[in-house]
């Protein structure tokens, strides 16, 4: 699915003519019956196309391999480093309840205030008008400041943020590996730090029946990385030694490591779905199964998608192809 191929802007000097006026994205899915609109939308097609394009782009590749790092990629990493630094500057407060530390609201207020400026550092001057639209997805990607929770809907907003940057031509075809390995991986590190520091609640977690309390995409892309690996099979990821020796190369194993750091008790009990996946014979089967599961458990669930916002870059209008 070559989503990147119909994107504007091939040379830096020539500003691509913008066919669109940007807008502040808004909610469109208000009732369960609206879900059909979402599944037929251009937004859904582009979002899924983006996820699958990246899935192919990282297939069989290690996190530590060589890949091109463009200037926008560097700027996105710098943006994420800023969010990370703000966590250090906003320590958790003393409060009676163990979960949902209120200091997260202070941290979030700073992002809310600065998001457009941060996004403006990543996009070229001639696209400055896009910043308010794109910034909405960044703000939605870090968790909910009222409930102090985080889940796959927030993760989807970050993927949507990156997808929008592709649609305006800031990120390009040859940025694919860096999008996952540099930007998305750094995003995961910052989200893990947020989850730990502010003891965030999992949003809409299915507990032991879900894949993971917080993330989904790194399991998809991470399983793609492992396709056709000469020695690592799905049954190996429940082996602590294998995880410790290989997690720096594979996103999937980084996720497993984080889960085992955060949860106690037998793996089969606290992460039953992942335990079941370890019995699947090949990584390509795991990858296909996770894509199906992602559609069913995240993208087709009203509680997740009701929060998704639609604008000019990810429109609610039905697919035009």
């Amino acid at each position: 699915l070559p989503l990147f191929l119909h994107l504007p802007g091939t040379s830096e000097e020539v500003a691509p003519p913008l066919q669109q006026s940007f807008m502040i994205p808004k909610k469109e899915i208000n009732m369960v019956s609206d879900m059909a609109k979402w599944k037929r939308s251009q937004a859904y097609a582009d979002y899924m196309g983006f996820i699958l394009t990246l899935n192919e782009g990282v297939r069989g590749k290690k996190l530590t391999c060589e890949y091109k790092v463009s200037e926008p990629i560097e700027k996105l990493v710098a943006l994420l480093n800023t969010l990370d630094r703000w966590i250090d500057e906003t320590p958790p407060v003393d409060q009676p309840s163990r979960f949902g530390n209120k200091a997260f609201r202070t941290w979030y207020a700073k992002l809310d205030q600065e998001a457009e400026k941060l996004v403006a550092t990543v996009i070229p001057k001639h696209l400055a008008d896009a910043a308010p639209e794109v910034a909405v997805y960044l703000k939605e990607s870090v968790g909910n400041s009222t409930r102090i929770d985080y889940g796959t809907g927030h993760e989807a907003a970050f993927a949507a943020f990156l997808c929008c940057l592709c649609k305006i031509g800031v990120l390009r075809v040859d940025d694919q590996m860096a999008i996952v390995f540099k930007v998305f991986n750094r995003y995961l590190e910052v989200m893990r730090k947020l989850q730990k520091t502010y003891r965030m609640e999992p949003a809409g977690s299915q507990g032991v029946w879900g894949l993971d309390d917080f993330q989904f995409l790194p399991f998809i892309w991470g399983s793609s990385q492992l396709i056709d690996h000469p020695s690592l099979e799905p049954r190996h990821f429940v082996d602590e030694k294998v995880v410790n020796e290989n997690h720096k190369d594979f996103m999937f194993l980084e996720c497993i490591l984080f889960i085992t750091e955060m949860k106690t008790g037998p793996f089969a009990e606290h992460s039953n779905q992942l335990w079941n996946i370890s019995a699947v014979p090949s990584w390509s089967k795991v990858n296909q199964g996770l894509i199906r599961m992602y559609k069913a458990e995240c993208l087709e669930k009203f509680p997740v998608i009701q929060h998704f916002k639609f604008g000019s870059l990810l429109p609610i209008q039905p697919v035009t192809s």
Side-chain angles (χ1 to χ4, degrees), residues 230-244:
S231 59
L232 290 180
E233 291 168 36
R235 63 190 173 94
H236 291 125
F237 78 74
V238 291
D239 178 340
E240 205 180 330
K241 185 172 182 287
V242 172
V243 172
N244 288 334

Side-chain angles (χ1 to χ4, degrees), residues 104-105 108 139-151 154 200-201 203 307:
F104 175 72
R105 292 181 182 147
Y108 183 86
K139 287 191 277 194
E140 297 278 318
S141 74
V142 297
N144 180 286
S145 67
T146 310
R147 296 187 302 271
I148 314 180
D149 66 5
Y150 176 93
H154 302 109
M200 296 178 79
E201 302 268 11
H307 303 292

Side-chain angles (χ1 to χ4, degrees), residues 65-139:
C65 75
E66 293 280 314
Y67 49 84
K68 175 189 168 246
V69 179
S70 64
E71 198 182 341
I73 294 285
E74 296 282 16
K75 287 173 172 173
L76 280 165
V77 172
L79 181 158
L80 291 164
N81 291 343
T82 300
L83 302 189
D84 189 314
R85 193 181 73 245
W86 291 347
I87 302 174
D88 297 332
E89 292 167 7
T90 320
V93 294
D94 280 334
Q95 61 175 47
S97 65
R98 217 169 114 232
F99 284 94
N101 195 281
K102 289 181 184 59
F104 175 72
R105 292 181 182 147
T106 311
W107 180 90
Y108 183 86
K110 196 162 173 76
L111 172 61
D112 194 36
Q113 204 186 327
E114 302 286 328
E116 273 182 43
K117 268 195 225 128
L118 288 172
V119 170
T121 64
V122 178
I123 60 182
K125 292 278 184 285
H126 68 268
L127 290 169
D129 290 354
E133 175 165 348
V134 177
V136 168
Y137 295 102
L138 178 64
K139 287 191 277 194

